[in-house]
Amino acid sequence: MDEKVDWLTRLTPVNITEIWEGFRDSNYRSMPDSRFSEGLENDAPVLRSELFDLPVREIENHLLQALMLEKQREIDQQIELVRMRGKAGFILASIDLFGHVSEQLLQDARDLLEAVPVVAPDPDDVGAAEICEAARIEVAKYRKRHPDFQCEVVVDPTPGTSLYVSQGDFHVAHDFRTSRSRVDPLIQHEIGTHAVTRHNGLRQPLHTLAGGLADYDELQEGVAVLAEYLAGYLPAQRLRTLAARVVAAHMAVEERAGPEIYACLVDECRIDSKTAFNTALRAKRGGGLTKDALYLKGLAELLAYLRGGGAFEILFLGKFALKHLHSLETLIDDGILHQPEILPPYLDDPSAMGRLAKARQVPLSQFYQERAPS
């Protein structure tokens, strides 16, 4: 059911390059309308009927039943989110699913933008071909130890879609470029977190852990950003971008236009033009999407969990929220679930473990690295 809804694909514009060129040609005053793939206008009733026909309430284990009922409600919210795409109720549907941008989170983001230094970005000296080659080498390492590890490396023909994992496969937009120093951290973000937790979820008796229990996004993205830090290079501008996403999501909820969000990010938040455009466009997906605020929120909550002495390896069991951890540990103790089958290879690196020890102590405002490891 989760895969059928596929809300993220349905909310991602298919004409990102066209939007950017039109925005640039207007001297950054107006953004062309976004075009999307097919929605759920006709399919929503059928999907809802299929969703609520699932025999979730027949699950005998009451803890598993509660987890599945929660997920069932979340998928219904996702259907509603896509159904409301481009309509007046979209922002409310987004808040219902991902939560609102709290005043505290917004203030934390603004404090970060003030405290974290603005540094010149590293040169974009690597393209899709080199990133894909590095990713295939990484996947081969996993398969050498675990032959059934499934992760294909795919060049995405849709421009502007950056990097992402979908159904366990690593997608790289054909026009994506980044700095060489960021390739491995980004691979650890995508493959070392998103693909690994999907694999581990599929190896559990509870397969829903592969697609994600309800509200899994915060922890999943928090672990993924932490993976960049553990890989050795989370630059200041990356942390500033996560803070800027919170500001952009807040402005989108207030129904500010894309050019206004862009101007705020460039002029007030001191975000570079390319990142500001991508951030504003992400915030305006579907009409105003609050999901991007979860990256900073998830990272902050993960660091608080680690400061409290929380175990790290268990977080790779599958895709879930921190609120589920006690329940999952109970299911492990009961013999229903088991420990993660595979872990990212950086956990065998003493220098990465040193960074993890530091992450358990460093405040969020200092959670970045000034230079890549030599």
Side-chain angles (χ1 to χ4, degrees):
M1 289 302 306
D2 208 15
E3 293 173 5
K4 284 182 180 180
V5 176
D6 193 14
W7 65 268
L8 185 57
T9 298
R10 296 178 195 271
L11 294 183
T12 300
V14 298
N15 61 327
I16 294 175
T17 299
E18 175 188 317
I19 297 170
W20 164 248
E21 292 175 349
F23 183 51
R24 180 195 60 203
D25 293 345
S26 74
N27 199 24
Y28 309 106
R29 292 176 181 170
S30 63
M31 284 187 182
D33 291 337
S34 297
R35 296 200 311 273
F36 301 98
S37 59
E38 63 178 350
L40 288 176
E41 288 78 5
N42 299 321
D43 297 336
V46 176
L47 284 171
R48 277 208 170 93
S49 176
E50 186 178 347
L51 174 66
F52 287 106
D53 281 345
L54 294 173
V56 175
R57 295 184 185 276
E58 297 176 19
I59 298 172
E60 293 181 4
N61 184 293
H62 289 164
L63 187 51
L64 285 175
Q65 183 186 123
L67 291 171
M68 293 301 95
L69 284 169
E70 185 185 37
K71 182 63 179 180
Q72 188 180 45
R73 290 192 294 270
E74 183 186 62
I75 293 175
D76 183 46
Q77 291 172 314
Q78 292 172 350
I79 293 171
E80 187 65 10
L81 184 76
V82 177
R83 192 183 74 82
M84 283 288 183
R85 186 182 70 187
K87 299 175 182 174
F90 181 85
I91 291 174
L92 284 177
S94 175
I95 292 173
D96 189 36
L97 182 57
F98 299 114
H100 72 296
V101 180
S102 70
E103 288 298 323
Q104 184 60 59
L105 180 61
L106 181 60
Q107 188 59 54
D108 290 344
R110 287 173 171 157
D111 290 345
L112 279 177
L113 288 165
E114 191 65 32
V116 178
V118 177
V119 296
D122 296 326
D124 289 341
D125 54 358
V126 173
E130 291 167 284
I131 296 169
C132 287
E133 179 60 26
R136 291 187 182 102
I137 292 172
E138 186 73 7
V139 170
K141 293 178 184 177
Y142 281 104
R143 287 181 177 160
K144 186 175 181 179
R145 299 169 69 174
H146 305 278
D148 58 349
F149 181 73
Q150 296 296 316
C151 178
E152 299 301 322
V153 179
V154 180
V155 178
D156 194 322
T158 307
T161 48
S162 187
L163 309 176
Y164 63 97
V165 167
S166 177
Q167 309 303 324
D169 294 334
F170 178 53
H171 293 250
V172 183
H174 72 91
D175 61 343
F176 181 76
R177 298 191 65 82
T178 190
S179 64
R180 191 174 304 276
S181 58
R182 286 285 290 156
V183 172
D184 185 55
L186 291 173
I187 286 175
Q188 298 313 323
H189 178 120
E190 300 293 345
I191 296 176
T193 303
H194 299 324
V196 164
T197 50
R198 176 178 171 81
H199 171 91
N200 285 336
L202 286 172
R203 303 295 289 179
Q204 295 285 351
L206 181 60
H207 287 178
T208 312
L209 284 162
L213 298 182
D215 305 318
Y216 76 89
D217 294 275
E218 284 183 28
L219 178 59
Q220 186 74 184
E221 297 302 346
V223 172
V225 173
L226 176 59
E228 299 177 38
Y229 184 87
L230 299 183
Y233 194 37
L234 182 80
Q237 81 178 90
R238 175 66 160 152
L239 187 57
R240 289 177 54 78
T241 296
L242 300 186
R245 288 180 179 180
V246 174
V247 173
H250 172 72
M251 294 182 71
V253 167
E254 293 187 331
E255 300 187 62
R256 306 286 189 90
E260 188 177 356
I261 297 174
Y262 171 87
C264 173
L265 296 181
V266 171
D267 298 336
E268 298 178 28
C269 301
R270 298 176 294 168
I271 301 296
D272 67 272
S273 178
K274 177 183 175 183
T275 302
F277 168 76
N278 289 333
T279 304
L281 188 64
R282 289 170 63 104
K284 291 296 290 183
R285 284 177 292 182
L289 192 64
T290 54
K291 178 185 181 293
D292 268 4
L294 298 182
Y295 287 78
L296 187 66
K297 186 171 183 282
L299 178 61
E301 292 183 352
L302 173 60
L303 293 180
Y305 163 81
L306 292 174
R307 280 194 293 272
F312 185 55
E313 289 81 357
I314 190 67
L315 304 182
F316 292 90
L317 181 147
K319 301 180 190 292
F320 57 91
L322 276 177
K323 66 180 179 180
H324 297 133
L325 189 54
H326 176 70
S327 296
L328 297 177
E329 289 173 336
T330 299
L331 292 171
I332 291 173
D333 292 341
D334 291 344
I336 295 173
L337 300 180
H338 52 75
Q339 295 289 337
E341 181 178 277
I342 65 174
L343 296 169
Y346 61 73
L347 288 175
D348 296 327
D349 181 357
S351 61
M353 292 302 90
R355 296 182 193 113
L356 178 59
K358 183 177 180 180
R360 293 181 183 275
Q361 301 175 359
V362 68
L364 184 59
S365 61
Q366 297 175 23
F367 189 71
Y368 61 90
Q369 290 142 327
E370 294 182 358
R371 61 182 65 86
S374 56

